[in-house]
Amino acid sequence: KAGVTQTPRYLIKTRGQQVTLSCSPISGHRSVSWYQQTPGQGLQFLFEYFSETQRNKGNFPGRFSGRQFSNSRSEMNVSTLELGDSALYLCASSRVTENTEAFFGQGTRLTVV
Amino acid sequence: GENVEQHPSTLSVQEGDSAVIKCTYSDSASNYFPWYKQELGKGPQLIIDIRSNVGEKKDQRIAVTLNKTAKHFSLHITETQPEDSAVYFCAAARGGYQKVTFGTGTKLQVIP
């Protein structure tokens, strides 16, 4: 059974640019969550999607957005990149029942220069 | 919102000794408490979880305890091995959604 796949693994962007990250969940998983991980702030929840609908959102500015497709694959977009957006972006997928186990991908390392 | 505190931030133990990591949470409605292990260059991996209707759960060398009254839960690793060296995160969540709040992490070093 394939795990959660995130692409690309590494990305370098310039301030002011925008970036799109992709996440393919485990087959059969319909919920996809996104997290930002930095040394200073730890793991912070960005948003969660189920059936192409955003159900939860963390405390991030509107520059951070996402979407989910009918095949459960998800993308997140960050516009007008800032240096502080440099982080490891993690995606997790799960089946949708009460408090089910979430499986993480290896993440996308974004560096903003 | 939920707030999860985790201690200690770093922990060094001799191989074969036990390691204990403690977490407290603030939202009394939280009812799912997973623990994740993150190795360098990898995403977090679930190692054990506990739900609010259970006080303790064991899986080989790993155990987790939950005290709902005090709102704290702990991870216990016995007979530690060098491959246990990693960063461990506790987390808390409630409801059927995946908005999990993570602790700040504990870097565990097992010295051979």
Side-chain angles (χ1 to χ4, degrees):
Chain A
K1 192 175 184 181
V4 178
T5 303
Q6 290 189 247
T7 56
R9 289 292 313 279
Y10 302 93
L11 207 49
I12 300 175
K13 289 286 188 178
T14 304
R15 267 185 305 174
Q17 287 187 312
Q18 67 93 27
V19 67
T20 299
L21 312 181
S22 179
C23 172
S24 293
I26 292 171
S27 178
H29 286 195
R30 298 170 66 192
S31 170
V32 173
S33 299
W34 288 89
Y35 294 84
Q36 182 195 65
Q37 186 174 30
T38 60
Q41 299 297 318
L43 271 159
Q44 292 189 289
F45 172 79
L46 279 156
F47 27 66
E48 186 249 349
Y49 286 87
F50 171 68
S51 289
E52 303 175 64
T53 301
Q54 186 183 91
R55 298 196 304 182
N56 272 296
K57 191 178 192 308
N59 297 323
F60 280 81
R63 300 185 297 108
F64 292 81
S65 63
R67 59 177 176 167
Q68 186 180 34
F69 302 94
S70 57
N71 62 357
S72 294
R73 189 177 72 85
S74 178
E75 289 181 346
M76 68 162 282
N77 184 78
V78 188
S79 62
T80 320
L81 284 166
E82 300 176 359
L83 295 178
D85 296 333
S86 295
L88 180 68
Y89 290 88
L90 291 158
C91 161
S93 78
S94 64
R95 297 183 188 281
V96 185
T97 56
E98 183 81 6
N99 298 325
T100 54
E101 179 178 353
F103 294 84
F104 282 84
Q106 290 192 286
T108 294
R109 172 74 63 185
L110 172 65
T111 302
V112 182
V113 298
Chain B
E2 174 67 277
N3 181 50
V4 178
E5 293 189 1
Q6 182 172 349
H7 300 279
S9 57
T10 60
L11 180 59
S12 290
V13 300
Q14 293 289 330
E15 182 177 357
D17 286 351
S18 295
V20 180
I21 302 170
K22 298 182 179 182
C23 290
T24 60
Y25 62 98
S26 61
D27 186 353
S28 56
S30 288
N31 55 8
Y32 176 61
F33 307 92
W35 286 87
Y36 288 89
K37 175 184 180 182
Q38 187 173 25
E39 297 173 318
L40 203 60
K42 297 184 178 180
Q45 178 186 10
L46 181 75
I47 55 172
I48 195 167
D49 58 12
I50 191 167
R51 303 180 193 280
S52 58
N53 57 348
V54 175
E56 184 176 0
K57 184 177 179 180
K58 270 188 175 182
D59 183 4
Q60 299 182 331
R61 297 186 296 110
I62 295 173
V64 59
T65 58
L66 171 66
N67 183 326
K68 283 210 70 180
T69 304
K71 289 192 279 188
H72 67 69
F73 55 115
S74 301
L75 177 72
H76 304 253
I77 306 174
T78 58
E79 300 172 18
T80 53
Q81 301 167 4
E83 50 265 40
D84 294 330
S85 296
V87 179
Y88 291 81
F89 292 93
C90 63
R94 63 164 171 160
Y97 303 139
Q98 293 303 314
K99 186 179 179 180
V100 179
T101 301
F102 286 86
T104 49
T106 296
K107 185 174 182 180
L108 173 64
Q109 182 185 22
V110 179
I111 304 165

